């Protein structure tokens, strides 16, 4: 299990809920992200919105699942990477 959080350094951080260890730091927002939500069925996908009026969709566990939007096994790509 993981916890996603937003930070004033313009990052979204994914933390292990059991150990408190930082699993992944997601960088790319031009301003402070103010919200982050998990995909309802794919816990490796999160969406975040920042004060710069941007929404980003992240696959924070791409090493295990493949990059979001990548073609895998003949399926169609899904969205931004």
């Amino acid at each position: 299990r993981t916890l996603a959080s937003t930070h004033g350094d313009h990052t979204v951080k994914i933390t292990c809920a059991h150990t408190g260890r930082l699993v992944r730091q997601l960088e790319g927002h031009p301003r402070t992200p103010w919200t982050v939500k998990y995909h309802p069925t794919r816990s490796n996908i999160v969406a975040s919105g920042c004060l710069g009026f941007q929404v980003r969709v992240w696959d924070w566990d791409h090493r295990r699942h493949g990059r979001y939007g990548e073609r895998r096994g003949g399926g169609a790509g899904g969205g931004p990477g």
Side-chain angles (χ1 to χ4, degrees):
R1 295 216 181 249
T2 58
L3 173 72
S5 57
T6 62
H7 297 269
D9 62 358
H10 303 185
T11 64
V12 173
K13 294 179 180 166
I14 307 295
T15 306
C16 175
H18 298 291
T19 66
R21 181 180 65 87
L22 180 66
V23 175
R24 189 84 71 240
Q25 179 169 298
L26 308 173
E27 300 175 352
H29 279 297
R31 302 218 22 222
T32 301
W34 56 273
T35 187
V36 62
K37 303 288 183 197
Y38 281 91
H39 186 279
T41 60
R42 295 181 61 191
S43 62
N44 59 302
I45 305 293
V46 294
S48 57
C50 79
L51 297 173
F53 305 104
Q54 289 186 358
V55 173
R56 293 190 180 250
V57 177
W58 313 85
D59 178 350
W60 62 267
D61 197 11
H62 60 83
R63 291 182 192 143
R64 195 168 109 202
H65 297 278
R67 290 187 185 273
Y68 187 61
E70 177 180 82
R71 290 183 166 264
R72 295 179 58 98

